[in-house]
Amino acid sequence: MTHVAPVGGTAVQDHVALAEIELCGDLIIAASAAQDRLSLESIDEVLKVAEERDASHRA
């Protein structure tokens, strides 16, 4: 017997997974626009690492 997901408003959103997908997309866009490999600093900038670090220190 095959189970099929019902059609309609039963979708569950995983906000963490959606955020990770968005970050991956941002990295892909940055990498495709770059002339060379992205540096670690560039990756941190795309992922907004410094902003998150500053926000965690303020909390």
PDB file of all heavy atoms in Angstrom, residues 15-34:
ATOM      1  N   HIS A  15      11.316  26.019   9.984  1.00  0.00           N
ATOM      2  CA  HIS A  15      11.950  27.327   9.834  1.00  0.00           C
ATOM      3  C   HIS A  15      13.472  27.245   9.824  1.00  0.00           C
ATOM      4  O   HIS A  15      14.130  28.022   9.131  1.00  0.00           O
ATOM      5  CB  HIS A  15      11.452  28.280  10.924  1.00  0.00           C
ATOM      6  CG  HIS A  15       9.978  28.533  10.830  1.00  0.00           C
ATOM      7  ND1 HIS A  15       9.439  29.332   9.859  1.00  0.00           N
ATOM      8  CD2 HIS A  15       8.939  28.048  11.545  1.00  0.00           C
ATOM      9  CE1 HIS A  15       8.135  29.348   9.993  1.00  0.00           C
ATOM     10  NE2 HIS A  15       7.790  28.577  11.006  1.00  0.00           N
ATOM     11  N   VAL A  16      14.040  26.313  10.550  1.00  0.00           N
ATOM     12  CA  VAL A  16      15.486  26.147  10.551  1.00  0.00           C
ATOM     13  C   VAL A  16      15.951  25.664   9.181  1.00  0.00           C
ATOM     14  O   VAL A  16      16.914  26.190   8.615  1.00  0.00           O
ATOM     15  CB  VAL A  16      15.939  25.173  11.660  1.00  0.00           C
ATOM     16  CG1 VAL A  16      17.421  24.867  11.554  1.00  0.00           C
ATOM     17  CG2 VAL A  16      15.597  25.729  13.035  1.00  0.00           C
ATOM     18  N   ALA A  17      15.256  24.680   8.622  1.00  0.00           N
ATOM     19  CA  ALA A  17      15.619  24.167   7.299  1.00  0.00           C
ATOM     20  C   ALA A  17      15.459  25.260   6.239  1.00  0.00           C
ATOM     21  O   ALA A  17      16.311  25.395   5.355  1.00  0.00           O
ATOM     22  CB  ALA A  17      14.768  22.955   6.936  1.00  0.00           C
ATOM     23  N   LEU A  18      14.399  26.039   6.331  1.00  0.00           N
ATOM     24  CA  LEU A  18      14.209  27.121   5.363  1.00  0.00           C
ATOM     25  C   LEU A  18      15.325  28.156   5.463  1.00  0.00           C
ATOM     26  O   LEU A  18      15.813  28.657   4.445  1.00  0.00           O
ATOM     27  CB  LEU A  18      12.845  27.786   5.573  1.00  0.00           C
ATOM     28  CG  LEU A  18      11.633  26.933   5.233  1.00  0.00           C
ATOM     29  CD1 LEU A  18      10.348  27.648   5.630  1.00  0.00           C
ATOM     30  CD2 LEU A  18      11.609  26.584   3.754  1.00  0.00           C
ATOM     31  N   ALA A  19      15.760  28.464   6.680  1.00  0.00           N
ATOM     32  CA  ALA A  19      16.858  29.415   6.863  1.00  0.00           C
ATOM     33  C   ALA A  19      18.157  28.864   6.281  1.00  0.00           C
ATOM     34  O   ALA A  19      18.919  29.597   5.631  1.00  0.00           O
ATOM     35  CB  ALA A  19      17.029  29.738   8.351  1.00  0.00           C
ATOM     36  N   GLU A  20      18.411  27.576   6.491  1.00  0.00           N
ATOM     37  CA  GLU A  20      19.613  26.953   5.936  1.00  0.00           C
ATOM     38  C   GLU A  20      19.582  26.960   4.409  1.00  0.00           C
ATOM     39  O   GLU A  20      20.608  27.213   3.767  1.00  0.00           O
ATOM     40  CB  GLU A  20      19.757  25.531   6.453  1.00  0.00           C
ATOM     41  CG  GLU A  20      20.141  25.464   7.917  1.00  0.00           C
ATOM     42  CD  GLU A  20      20.232  24.044   8.440  1.00  0.00           C
ATOM     43  OE1 GLU A  20      19.952  23.089   7.687  1.00  0.00           O
ATOM     44  OE2 GLU A  20      20.588  23.894   9.618  1.00  0.00           O
ATOM     45  N   ILE A  21      18.433  26.696   3.832  1.00  0.00           N
ATOM     46  CA  ILE A  21      18.294  26.717   2.377  1.00  0.00           C
ATOM     47  C   ILE A  21      18.555  28.124   1.848  1.00  0.00           C
ATOM     48  O   ILE A  21      19.240  28.298   0.834  1.00  0.00           O
ATOM     49  CB  ILE A  21      16.900  26.209   1.956  1.00  0.00           C
ATOM     50  CG1 ILE A  21      16.786  24.711   2.267  1.00  0.00           C
ATOM     51  CG2 ILE A  21      16.621  26.505   0.486  1.00  0.00           C
ATOM     52  CD1 ILE A  21      15.378  24.176   2.195  1.00  0.00           C
ATOM     53  N   GLU A  22      18.049  29.134   2.537  1.00  0.00           N
ATOM     54  CA  GLU A  22      18.277  30.520   2.117  1.00  0.00           C
ATOM     55  C   GLU A  22      19.765  30.873   2.181  1.00  0.00           C
ATOM     56  O   GLU A  22      20.307  31.498   1.263  1.00  0.00           O
ATOM     57  CB  GLU A  22      17.473  31.476   2.988  1.00  0.00           C
ATOM     58  CG  GLU A  22      17.583  32.912   2.536  1.00  0.00           C
ATOM     59  CD  GLU A  22      16.700  33.857   3.319  1.00  0.00           C
ATOM     60  OE1 GLU A  22      15.880  33.401   4.133  1.00  0.00           O
ATOM     61  OE2 GLU A  22      16.842  35.079   3.102  1.00  0.00           O
ATOM     62  N   LEU A  23      20.453  30.447   3.251  1.00  0.00           N
ATOM     63  CA  LEU A  23      21.884  30.713   3.372  1.00  0.00           C
ATOM     64  C   LEU A  23      22.669  30.009   2.265  1.00  0.00           C
ATOM     65  O   LEU A  23      23.608  30.587   1.701  1.00  0.00           O
ATOM     66  CB  LEU A  23      22.397  30.266   4.743  1.00  0.00           C
ATOM     67  CG  LEU A  23      21.934  31.102   5.932  1.00  0.00           C
ATOM     68  CD1 LEU A  23      22.358  30.451   7.237  1.00  0.00           C
ATOM     69  CD2 LEU A  23      22.454  32.522   5.835  1.00  0.00           C
ATOM     70  N   CYS A  24      22.291  28.778   1.959  1.00  0.00           N
ATOM     71  CA  CYS A  24      22.954  28.055   0.861  1.00  0.00           C
ATOM     72  C   CYS A  24      22.756  28.787  -0.457  1.00  0.00           C
ATOM     73  O   CYS A  24      23.687  28.912  -1.253  1.00  0.00           O
ATOM     74  CB  CYS A  24      22.430  26.629   0.760  1.00  0.00           C
ATOM     75  SG  CYS A  24      23.015  25.566   2.076  1.00  0.00           S
ATOM     76  N   GLY A  25      21.560  29.264  -0.679  1.00  0.00           N
ATOM     77  CA  GLY A  25      21.282  30.034  -1.893  1.00  0.00           C
ATOM     78  C   GLY A  25      22.130  31.284  -1.963  1.00  0.00           C
ATOM     79  O   GLY A  25      22.677  31.628  -3.020  1.00  0.00           O
ATOM     80  N   ASP A  26      22.253  31.991  -0.824  1.00  0.00           N
ATOM     81  CA  ASP A  26      23.087  33.196  -0.782  1.00  0.00           C
ATOM     82  C   ASP A  26      24.542  32.863  -1.114  1.00  0.00           C
ATOM     83  O   ASP A  26      25.212  33.615  -1.841  1.00  0.00           O
ATOM     84  CB  ASP A  26      23.013  33.855   0.599  1.00  0.00           C
ATOM     85  CG  ASP A  26      21.643  34.457   0.895  1.00  0.00           C
ATOM     86  OD1 ASP A  26      20.836  34.630  -0.056  1.00  0.00           O
ATOM     87  OD2 ASP A  26      21.382  34.742   2.082  1.00  0.00           O
ATOM     88  N   LEU A  27      25.033  31.728  -0.598  1.00  0.00           N
ATOM     89  CA  LEU A  27      26.410  31.319  -0.897  1.00  0.00           C
ATOM     90  C   LEU A  27      26.575  30.970  -2.371  1.00  0.00           C
ATOM     91  O   LEU A  27      27.592  31.317  -2.987  1.00  0.00           O
ATOM     92  CB  LEU A  27      26.815  30.122  -0.038  1.00  0.00           C
ATOM     93  CG  LEU A  27      27.257  30.424   1.380  1.00  0.00           C
ATOM     94  CD1 LEU A  27      27.468  29.126   2.151  1.00  0.00           C
ATOM     95  CD2 LEU A  27      28.514  31.267   1.394  1.00  0.00           C
ATOM     96  N   ILE A  28      25.612  30.295  -2.941  1.00  0.00           N
ATOM     97  CA  ILE A  28      25.678  29.930  -4.358  1.00  0.00           C
ATOM     98  C   ILE A  28      25.705  31.177  -5.225  1.00  0.00           C
ATOM     99  O   ILE A  28      26.491  31.268  -6.174  1.00  0.00           O
ATOM    100  CB  ILE A  28      24.505  29.010  -4.737  1.00  0.00           C
ATOM    101  CG1 ILE A  28      24.681  27.650  -4.061  1.00  0.00           C
ATOM    102  CG2 ILE A  28      24.376  28.858  -6.244  1.00  0.00           C
ATOM    103  CD1 ILE A  28      23.451  26.764  -4.119  1.00  0.00           C
ATOM    104  N   ILE A  29      24.877  32.155  -4.901  1.00  0.00           N
ATOM    105  CA  ILE A  29      24.847  33.410  -5.668  1.00  0.00           C
ATOM    106  C   ILE A  29      26.182  34.131  -5.555  1.00  0.00           C
ATOM    107  O   ILE A  29      26.735  34.600  -6.555  1.00  0.00           O
ATOM    108  CB  ILE A  29      23.685  34.295  -5.188  1.00  0.00           C
ATOM    109  CG1 ILE A  29      22.352  33.661  -5.591  1.00  0.00           C
ATOM    110  CG2 ILE A  29      23.803  35.715  -5.748  1.00  0.00           C
ATOM    111  CD1 ILE A  29      21.135  34.274  -4.928  1.00  0.00           C
ATOM    112  N   ALA A  30      26.723  34.210  -4.335  1.00  0.00           N
ATOM    113  CA  ALA A  30      28.006  34.888  -4.140  1.00  0.00           C
ATOM    114  C   ALA A  30      29.122  34.164  -4.879  1.00  0.00           C
ATOM    115  O   ALA A  30      29.978  34.800  -5.510  1.00  0.00           O
ATOM    116  CB  ALA A  30      28.325  34.984  -2.649  1.00  0.00           C
ATOM    117  N   ALA A  31      29.122  32.842  -4.819  1.00  0.00           N
ATOM    118  CA  ALA A  31      30.168  32.068  -5.491  1.00  0.00           C
ATOM    119  C   ALA A  31      30.078  32.220  -7.003  1.00  0.00           C
ATOM    120  O   ALA A  31      31.103  32.302  -7.683  1.00  0.00           O
ATOM    121  CB  ALA A  31      30.068  30.597  -5.095  1.00  0.00           C
ATOM    122  N   SER A  32      28.883  32.268  -7.530  1.00  0.00           N
ATOM    123  CA  SER A  32      28.745  32.391  -8.988  1.00  0.00           C
ATOM    124  C   SER A  32      29.139  33.781  -9.483  1.00  0.00           C
ATOM    125  O   SER A  32      29.551  33.931 -10.631  1.00  0.00           O
ATOM    126  CB  SER A  32      27.316  32.056  -9.424  1.00  0.00           C
ATOM    127  OG  SER A  32      26.406  33.015  -8.929  1.00  0.00           O
ATOM    128  N   ALA A  33      29.048  34.772  -8.613  1.00  0.00           N
ATOM    129  CA  ALA A  33      29.423  36.133  -8.997  1.00  0.00           C
ATOM    130  C   ALA A  33      30.910  36.416  -8.797  1.00  0.00           C
ATOM    131  O   ALA A  33      31.442  37.385  -9.330  1.00  0.00           O
ATOM    132  CB  ALA A  33      28.606  37.142  -8.194  1.00  0.00           C
ATOM    133  N   ALA A  34      31.597  35.564  -8.039  1.00  0.00           N
ATOM    134  CA  ALA A  34      33.007  35.789  -7.712  1.00  0.00           C
ATOM    135  C   ALA A  34      33.910  35.381  -8.869  1.00  0.00           C
ATOM    136  O   ALA A  34      33.603  34.471  -9.631  1.00  0.00           O
ATOM    137  CB  ALA A  34      33.376  35.000  -6.463  1.00  0.00           C
TER     138      ALA A  34
END
